[in-house]
Structure formats: structure tokens, C-alpha cells
Amino acid sequence: MKIYHNPRCSKSRQGLAILQEAHQDPEIINYLKNPVSFEELRDILNKLGIPAIDLIRKNEAIWKEEFKNKNLSETELIEAMITYPKLIERPIVVHGDKAVIGRPPEKIKDII
């Protein structure tokens, strides 16, 4: 089990706490310090069953300044998240061939 985690995000901290309370010991990936690869992010999207646009934090300044109102392909959206990892919604928990975005954090219980 992995959690893509931003320790500065309250929802991400709550998600990690839910896993720990359930006696899970996930691999914690601070994706801001250790960015994910293109293939890894594409794999996460496949496990989530969503298009890349649904994983993007659209209220981030970088999104509004650089990408909003542009018609970007799936590949371009993934590349934007790799270049600017703050754009990735968090937390994401991956367990086997399934994944969930912890928004709200209680959704993480669905994957435990």
C-alpha cells in the first residue's frame, strides 16, 4: 500500500492517520520532494479509473496562470502534473490494482 502524501496538507495528514489507525503501514511518498514518473502517474490514473483532468487541483495558481482554458491532451495534462506536482490532488492511496483519492479522507476506508 502506498500513500502519495503532502505533509503540509491537512486532508493528506488525515488520510495518513486513517491508515495508521487501521494498522496499515503504507509506503509514504512525498510526491513534492520525489516527483512521480510519467508511467507511474498514468498507472495511478488507470487504477483510479479517471482522466488526468480529474486529478488536477484547478484552484492552484499555476493551473490558472499556465493551463486554464487550454485544450490539453491526456499526455500534456500528465506532463503538467509531473512538472508542477502541486497540481496533483491529494492524498492518493494505492493498494494493489486499486486507488482512491482521499477527498474526503474517509474515502480511504474504501480501499483498506
Side-chain angles (χ1 to χ4, degrees), residues 70-105:
K70 290 185 179 177
N71 188 13
L72 301 173
S73 69
E74 195 75 0
T75 296
E76 290 169 323
L77 290 167
I78 292 170
E79 288 172 350
M81 287 187 276
I82 291 167
T83 303
Y84 304 101
K86 281 180 72 173
L87 290 175
I88 301 172
E89 192 61 78
R90 64 207 178 228
I92 302 167
V93 176
V94 177
H95 190 209
D97 62 353
K98 296 181 182 174
V100 67
I101 300 170
R103 295 243 169 207

mmCIF file of all heavy atoms in Angstrom, residues 70-105:
data_model
loop_
_atom_site.group_PDB
_atom_site.id
_atom_site.type_symbol
_atom_site.label_atom_id
_atom_site.label_comp_id
_atom_site.label_asym_id
_atom_site.label_seq_id
_atom_site.Cartn_x
_atom_site.Cartn_y
_atom_site.Cartn_z
ATOM 1 N N LYS A 70 -6.993 26.040 -21.743
ATOM 2 C CA LYS A 70 -6.257 25.448 -22.857
ATOM 3 C C LYS A 70 -6.808 24.049 -23.097
ATOM 4 O O LYS A 70 -7.190 23.361 -22.160
ATOM 5 C CB LYS A 70 -4.760 25.369 -22.542
ATOM 6 C CG LYS A 70 -4.089 26.720 -22.501
ATOM 7 C CD LYS A 70 -2.604 26.581 -22.314
ATOM 8 C CE LYS A 70 -1.941 27.944 -22.309
ATOM 9 N NZ LYS A 70 -0.504 27.846 -22.066
ATOM 10 N N ASN A 71 -6.832 23.644 -24.336
ATOM 11 C CA ASN A 71 -7.317 22.312 -24.690
ATOM 12 C C ASN A 71 -6.118 21.363 -24.695
ATOM 13 O O ASN A 71 -5.438 21.227 -25.712
ATOM 14 C CB ASN A 71 -8.014 22.351 -26.054
ATOM 15 C CG ASN A 71 -8.691 21.050 -26.377
ATOM 16 O OD1 ASN A 71 -8.867 20.187 -25.509
ATOM 17 N ND2 ASN A 71 -9.067 20.886 -27.627
ATOM 18 N N LEU A 72 -5.848 20.732 -23.555
ATOM 19 C CA LEU A 72 -4.669 19.889 -23.399
ATOM 20 C C LEU A 72 -5.021 18.413 -23.543
ATOM 21 O O LEU A 72 -6.082 17.970 -23.093
ATOM 22 C CB LEU A 72 -4.032 20.130 -22.028
ATOM 23 C CG LEU A 72 -3.589 21.567 -21.744
ATOM 24 C CD1 LEU A 72 -3.143 21.696 -20.298
ATOM 25 C CD2 LEU A 72 -2.483 21.997 -22.683
ATOM 26 N N SER A 73 -4.120 17.672 -24.149
ATOM 27 C CA SER A 73 -4.305 16.229 -24.293
ATOM 28 C C SER A 73 -4.037 15.550 -22.952
ATOM 29 O O SER A 73 -3.484 16.151 -22.018
ATOM 30 C CB SER A 73 -3.327 15.685 -25.337
ATOM 31 O OG SER A 73 -1.992 15.748 -24.834
ATOM 32 N N GLU A 74 -4.388 14.291 -22.869
ATOM 33 C CA GLU A 74 -4.130 13.487 -21.673
ATOM 34 C C GLU A 74 -2.622 13.498 -21.354
ATOM 35 O O GLU A 74 -2.232 13.691 -20.201
ATOM 36 C CB GLU A 74 -4.644 12.066 -21.912
ATOM 37 C CG GLU A 74 -4.779 11.224 -20.684
ATOM 38 C CD GLU A 74 -5.977 11.560 -19.807
ATOM 39 O OE1 GLU A 74 -6.770 12.468 -20.112
ATOM 40 O OE2 GLU A 74 -6.111 10.904 -18.772
ATOM 41 N N THR A 75 -1.805 13.328 -22.364
ATOM 42 C CA THR A 75 -0.346 13.339 -22.178
ATOM 43 C C THR A 75 0.125 14.691 -21.660
ATOM 44 O O THR A 75 0.944 14.760 -20.733
ATOM 45 C CB THR A 75 0.359 12.991 -23.509
ATOM 46 O OG1 THR A 75 -0.003 11.660 -23.866
ATOM 47 C CG2 THR A 75 1.867 13.103 -23.386
ATOM 48 N N GLU A 76 -0.392 15.779 -22.218
ATOM 49 C CA GLU A 76 0.010 17.121 -21.772
ATOM 50 C C GLU A 76 -0.418 17.379 -20.326
ATOM 51 O O GLU A 76 0.319 18.022 -19.560
ATOM 52 C CB GLU A 76 -0.579 18.182 -22.696
ATOM 53 C CG GLU A 76 0.040 18.181 -24.075
ATOM 54 C CD GLU A 76 -0.711 19.041 -25.076
ATOM 55 O OE1 GLU A 76 -1.968 19.091 -25.021
ATOM 56 O OE2 GLU A 76 -0.038 19.647 -25.920
ATOM 57 N N LEU A 77 -1.589 16.874 -19.941
ATOM 58 C CA LEU A 77 -2.050 17.048 -18.562
ATOM 59 C C LEU A 77 -1.147 16.284 -17.593
ATOM 60 O O LEU A 77 -0.785 16.795 -16.523
ATOM 61 C CB LEU A 77 -3.499 16.592 -18.424
ATOM 62 C CG LEU A 77 -4.533 17.484 -19.118
ATOM 63 C CD1 LEU A 77 -5.877 16.771 -19.184
ATOM 64 C CD2 LEU A 77 -4.659 18.824 -18.411
ATOM 65 N N ILE A 78 -0.778 15.054 -17.961
ATOM 66 C CA ILE A 78 0.116 14.264 -17.110
ATOM 67 C C ILE A 78 1.471 14.965 -17.009
ATOM 68 O O ILE A 78 2.039 15.084 -15.906
ATOM 69 C CB ILE A 78 0.250 12.821 -17.644
ATOM 70 C CG1 ILE A 78 -1.080 12.088 -17.493
ATOM 71 C CG2 ILE A 78 1.372 12.077 -16.904
ATOM 72 C CD1 ILE A 78 -1.134 10.733 -18.200
ATOM 73 N N GLU A 79 1.982 15.464 -18.115
ATOM 74 C CA GLU A 79 3.259 16.172 -18.094
ATOM 75 C C GLU A 79 3.185 17.425 -17.226
ATOM 76 O O GLU A 79 4.140 17.754 -16.524
ATOM 77 C CB GLU A 79 3.698 16.509 -19.523
ATOM 78 C CG GLU A 79 4.149 15.281 -20.279
ATOM 79 C CD GLU A 79 4.403 15.522 -21.759
ATOM 80 O OE1 GLU A 79 4.064 16.612 -22.282
ATOM 81 O OE2 GLU A 79 4.934 14.594 -22.407
ATOM 82 N N ALA A 80 2.053 18.129 -17.238
ATOM 83 C CA ALA A 80 1.877 19.307 -16.384
ATOM 84 C C ALA A 80 1.964 18.914 -14.909
ATOM 85 O O ALA A 80 2.601 19.610 -14.110
ATOM 86 C CB ALA A 80 0.542 19.984 -16.689
ATOM 87 N N MET A 81 1.336 17.784 -14.550
ATOM 88 C CA MET A 81 1.382 17.345 -13.145
ATOM 89 C C MET A 81 2.784 16.900 -12.743
ATOM 90 O O MET A 81 3.178 17.068 -11.581
ATOM 91 C CB MET A 81 0.370 16.223 -12.910
ATOM 92 C CG MET A 81 -1.065 16.710 -12.894
ATOM 93 S SD MET A 81 -2.250 15.416 -12.429
ATOM 94 C CE MET A 81 -2.496 14.595 -14.004
ATOM 95 N N ILE A 82 3.534 16.351 -13.675
ATOM 96 C CA ILE A 82 4.907 15.947 -13.366
ATOM 97 C C ILE A 82 5.785 17.183 -13.191
ATOM 98 O O ILE A 82 6.590 17.261 -12.263
ATOM 99 C CB ILE A 82 5.456 15.021 -14.477
ATOM 100 C CG1 ILE A 82 4.722 13.680 -14.414
ATOM 101 C CG2 ILE A 82 6.963 14.821 -14.326
ATOM 102 C CD1 ILE A 82 4.940 12.812 -15.624
ATOM 103 N N THR A 83 5.598 18.167 -14.052
ATOM 104 C CA THR A 83 6.380 19.399 -13.974
ATOM 105 C C THR A 83 6.001 20.210 -12.739
ATOM 106 O O THR A 83 6.865 20.807 -12.091
ATOM 107 C CB THR A 83 6.163 20.239 -15.249
ATOM 108 O OG1 THR A 83 6.513 19.442 -16.388
ATOM 109 C CG2 THR A 83 7.012 21.490 -15.233
ATOM 110 N N TYR A 84 4.724 20.239 -12.415
ATOM 111 C CA TYR A 84 4.203 21.004 -11.276
ATOM 112 C C TYR A 84 3.417 20.060 -10.361
ATOM 113 O O TYR A 84 2.191 20.023 -10.409
ATOM 114 C CB TYR A 84 3.293 22.139 -11.751
ATOM 115 C CG TYR A 84 3.957 23.073 -12.724
ATOM 116 C CD1 TYR A 84 3.713 22.974 -14.094
ATOM 117 C CD2 TYR A 84 4.837 24.059 -12.276
ATOM 118 C CE1 TYR A 84 4.318 23.831 -14.990
ATOM 119 C CE2 TYR A 84 5.450 24.922 -13.170
ATOM 120 C CZ TYR A 84 5.189 24.812 -14.526
ATOM 121 O OH TYR A 84 5.803 25.662 -15.409
ATOM 122 N N PRO A 85 4.113 19.288 -9.516
ATOM 123 C CA PRO A 85 3.409 18.288 -8.702
ATOM 124 C C PRO A 85 2.363 18.862 -7.742
ATOM 125 O O PRO A 85 1.473 18.141 -7.303
ATOM 126 C CB PRO A 85 4.529 17.570 -7.951
ATOM 127 C CG PRO A 85 5.785 18.277 -8.251
ATOM 128 C CD PRO A 85 5.552 19.243 -9.355
ATOM 129 N N LYS A 86 2.427 20.167 -7.467
ATOM 130 C CA LYS A 86 1.381 20.774 -6.629
ATOM 131 C C LYS A 86 0.009 20.648 -7.275
ATOM 132 O O LYS A 86 -1.008 20.768 -6.591
ATOM 133 C CB LYS A 86 1.687 22.261 -6.388
ATOM 134 C CG LYS A 86 2.732 22.502 -5.332
ATOM 135 C CD LYS A 86 2.986 23.967 -5.134
ATOM 136 C CE LYS A 86 1.806 24.614 -4.431
ATOM 137 N NZ LYS A 86 2.063 26.014 -4.051
ATOM 138 N N LEU A 87 -0.023 20.405 -8.575
ATOM 139 C CA LEU A 87 -1.302 20.271 -9.274
ATOM 140 C C LEU A 87 -2.010 18.955 -8.967
ATOM 141 O O LEU A 87 -3.198 18.822 -9.233
ATOM 142 C CB LEU A 87 -1.084 20.370 -10.789
ATOM 143 C CG LEU A 87 -0.690 21.737 -11.338
ATOM 144 C CD1 LEU A 87 -0.401 21.643 -12.828
ATOM 145 C CD2 LEU A 87 -1.790 22.760 -11.070
ATOM 146 N N ILE A 88 -1.291 17.986 -8.408
ATOM 147 C CA ILE A 88 -1.876 16.664 -8.163
ATOM 148 C C ILE A 88 -2.755 16.693 -6.917
ATOM 149 O O ILE A 88 -2.321 17.111 -5.841
ATOM 150 C CB ILE A 88 -0.770 15.592 -8.011
ATOM 151 C CG1 ILE A 88 0.083 15.525 -9.280
ATOM 152 C CG2 ILE A 88 -1.389 14.228 -7.682
ATOM 153 C CD1 ILE A 88 1.313 14.634 -9.151
ATOM 154 N N GLU A 89 -3.989 16.244 -7.086
ATOM 155 C CA GLU A 89 -4.919 16.128 -5.955
ATOM 156 C C GLU A 89 -4.342 15.164 -4.933
ATOM 157 O O GLU A 89 -3.649 14.215 -5.286
ATOM 158 C CB GLU A 89 -6.276 15.626 -6.462
ATOM 159 C CG GLU A 89 -7.393 15.726 -5.464
ATOM 160 C CD GLU A 89 -7.668 17.145 -5.013
ATOM 161 O OE1 GLU A 89 -8.310 17.884 -5.752
ATOM 162 O OE2 GLU A 89 -7.244 17.497 -3.902
ATOM 163 N N ARG A 90 -4.618 15.382 -3.679
ATOM 164 C CA ARG A 90 -4.035 14.568 -2.615
ATOM 165 C C ARG A 90 -5.019 14.376 -1.487
ATOM 166 O O ARG A 90 -5.934 15.193 -1.342
ATOM 167 C CB ARG A 90 -2.768 15.231 -2.108
ATOM 168 C CG ARG A 90 -3.074 16.585 -1.453
ATOM 169 C CD ARG A 90 -1.944 17.528 -1.519
ATOM 170 N NE ARG A 90 -2.329 18.801 -0.928
ATOM 171 C CZ ARG A 90 -2.114 19.942 -1.490
ATOM 172 N NH1 ARG A 90 -1.554 20.019 -2.663
ATOM 173 N NH2 ARG A 90 -2.461 21.051 -0.892
ATOM 174 N N PRO A 91 -4.776 13.357 -0.689
ATOM 175 C CA PRO A 91 -3.831 12.262 -0.864
ATOM 176 C C PRO A 91 -4.384 11.215 -1.825
ATOM 177 O O PRO A 91 -5.590 11.139 -2.050
ATOM 178 C CB PRO A 91 -3.718 11.672 0.541
ATOM 179 C CG PRO A 91 -5.092 11.869 1.111
ATOM 180 C CD PRO A 91 -5.552 13.196 0.550
ATOM 181 N N ILE A 92 -3.497 10.420 -2.366
ATOM 182 C CA ILE A 92 -3.884 9.277 -3.202
ATOM 183 C C ILE A 92 -3.356 8.033 -2.505
ATOM 184 O O ILE A 92 -2.185 7.985 -2.129
ATOM 185 C CB ILE A 92 -3.274 9.352 -4.612
ATOM 186 C CG1 ILE A 92 -3.678 10.645 -5.321
ATOM 187 C CG2 ILE A 92 -3.695 8.125 -5.435
ATOM 188 C CD1 ILE A 92 -2.881 10.922 -6.571
ATOM 189 N N VAL A 93 -4.228 7.056 -2.322
ATOM 190 C CA VAL A 93 -3.814 5.782 -1.738
ATOM 191 C C VAL A 93 -3.952 4.712 -2.813
ATOM 192 O O VAL A 93 -4.996 4.611 -3.464
ATOM 193 C CB VAL A 93 -4.649 5.425 -0.492
ATOM 194 C CG1 VAL A 93 -4.269 4.054 0.043
ATOM 195 C CG2 VAL A 93 -4.475 6.489 0.588
ATOM 196 N N VAL A 94 -2.881 3.943 -2.992
ATOM 197 C CA VAL A 94 -2.869 2.848 -3.961
ATOM 198 C C VAL A 94 -2.674 1.552 -3.188
ATOM 199 O O VAL A 94 -1.780 1.442 -2.349
ATOM 200 C CB VAL A 94 -1.727 3.028 -4.997
ATOM 201 C CG1 VAL A 94 -1.689 1.841 -5.946
ATOM 202 C CG2 VAL A 94 -1.892 4.335 -5.753
ATOM 203 N N HIS A 95 -3.548 0.599 -3.470
ATOM 204 C CA HIS A 95 -3.468 -0.712 -2.826
ATOM 205 C C HIS A 95 -3.737 -1.755 -3.898
ATOM 206 O O HIS A 95 -4.867 -1.889 -4.378
ATOM 207 C CB HIS A 95 -4.484 -0.805 -1.690
ATOM 208 C CG HIS A 95 -4.321 -2.007 -0.837
ATOM 209 N ND1 HIS A 95 -5.370 -2.585 -0.198
ATOM 210 C CD2 HIS A 95 -3.244 -2.742 -0.505
ATOM 211 C CE1 HIS A 95 -4.955 -3.630 0.486
ATOM 212 N NE2 HIS A 95 -3.657 -3.745 0.303
ATOM 213 N N GLY A 96 -2.681 -2.468 -4.286
ATOM 214 C CA GLY A 96 -2.829 -3.463 -5.339
ATOM 215 C C GLY A 96 -3.205 -2.809 -6.652
ATOM 216 O O GLY A 96 -2.551 -1.877 -7.099
ATOM 217 N N ASP A 97 -4.317 -3.276 -7.239
ATOM 218 C CA ASP A 97 -4.732 -2.716 -8.518
ATOM 219 C C ASP A 97 -5.828 -1.665 -8.367
ATOM 220 O O ASP A 97 -6.513 -1.330 -9.320
ATOM 221 C CB ASP A 97 -5.190 -3.826 -9.465
ATOM 222 C CG ASP A 97 -6.390 -4.594 -8.931
ATOM 223 O OD1 ASP A 97 -6.789 -4.364 -7.770
ATOM 224 O OD2 ASP A 97 -6.940 -5.429 -9.678
ATOM 225 N N LYS A 98 -5.983 -1.136 -7.154
ATOM 226 C CA LYS A 98 -6.996 -0.118 -6.887
ATOM 227 C C LYS A 98 -6.337 1.126 -6.305
ATOM 228 O O LYS A 98 -5.275 1.060 -5.705
ATOM 229 C CB LYS A 98 -8.046 -0.635 -5.904
ATOM 230 C CG LYS A 98 -8.842 -1.797 -6.450
ATOM 231 C CD LYS A 98 -9.873 -2.248 -5.471
ATOM 232 C CE LYS A 98 -10.614 -3.459 -6.041
ATOM 233 N NZ LYS A 98 -11.525 -4.032 -5.085
ATOM 234 N N ALA A 99 -7.014 2.250 -6.486
ATOM 235 C CA ALA A 99 -6.543 3.509 -5.919
ATOM 236 C C ALA A 99 -7.751 4.368 -5.586
ATOM 237 O O ALA A 99 -8.837 4.188 -6.147
ATOM 238 C CB ALA A 99 -5.628 4.229 -6.904
ATOM 239 N N VAL A 100 -7.538 5.310 -4.672
ATOM 240 C CA VAL A 100 -8.600 6.230 -4.287
ATOM 241 C C VAL A 100 -7.965 7.569 -3.930
ATOM 242 O O VAL A 100 -6.857 7.621 -3.406
ATOM 243 C CB VAL A 100 -9.431 5.669 -3.104
ATOM 244 C CG1 VAL A 100 -8.627 5.580 -1.832
ATOM 245 C CG2 VAL A 100 -10.689 6.468 -2.877
ATOM 246 N N ILE A 101 -8.687 8.632 -4.267
ATOM 247 C CA ILE A 101 -8.291 9.976 -3.831
ATOM 248 C C ILE A 101 -8.983 10.203 -2.497
ATOM 249 O O ILE A 101 -10.193 10.041 -2.384
ATOM 250 C CB ILE A 101 -8.728 11.049 -4.843
ATOM 251 C CG1 ILE A 101 -8.097 10.785 -6.210
ATOM 252 C CG2 ILE A 101 -8.342 12.447 -4.332
ATOM 253 C CD1 ILE A 101 -8.662 11.651 -7.329
ATOM 254 N N GLY A 102 -8.213 10.569 -1.491
ATOM 255 C CA GLY A 102 -8.753 10.756 -0.140
ATOM 256 C C GLY A 102 -9.426 12.094 0.060
ATOM 257 O O GLY A 102 -9.058 12.863 0.941
ATOM 258 N N ARG A 103 -10.416 12.379 -0.738
ATOM 259 C CA ARG A 103 -11.212 13.601 -0.609
ATOM 260 C C ARG A 103 -12.679 13.213 -0.640
ATOM 261 O O ARG A 103 -13.176 12.866 -1.710
ATOM 262 C CB ARG A 103 -10.904 14.569 -1.748
ATOM 263 C CG ARG A 103 -9.495 15.066 -1.714
ATOM 264 C CD ARG A 103 -9.498 16.522 -1.517
ATOM 265 N NE ARG A 103 -8.147 16.991 -1.232
ATOM 266 C CZ ARG A 103 -7.906 18.055 -0.550
ATOM 267 N NH1 ARG A 103 -8.902 18.761 -0.068
ATOM 268 N NH2 ARG A 103 -6.696 18.466 -0.329
ATOM 269 N N PRO A 104 -13.338 13.207 0.471
ATOM 270 C CA PRO A 104 -12.836 13.435 1.820
ATOM 271 C C PRO A 104 -11.959 12.265 2.280
ATOM 272 O O PRO A 104 -12.024 11.169 1.702
ATOM 273 C CB PRO A 104 -14.109 13.552 2.657
ATOM 274 C CG PRO A 104 -15.104 12.708 1.939
ATOM 275 C CD PRO A 104 -14.770 12.852 0.463
ATOM 276 N N PRO A 105 -11.159 12.488 3.322
ATOM 277 C CA PRO A 105 -10.231 11.445 3.784
ATOM 278 C C PRO A 105 -10.902 10.110 4.095
ATOM 279 O O PRO A 105 -10.290 9.056 3.933
ATOM 280 C CB PRO A 105 -9.603 12.062 5.036
ATOM 281 C CG PRO A 105 -9.705 13.537 4.816
ATOM 282 C CD PRO A 105 -11.003 13.743 4.065
#
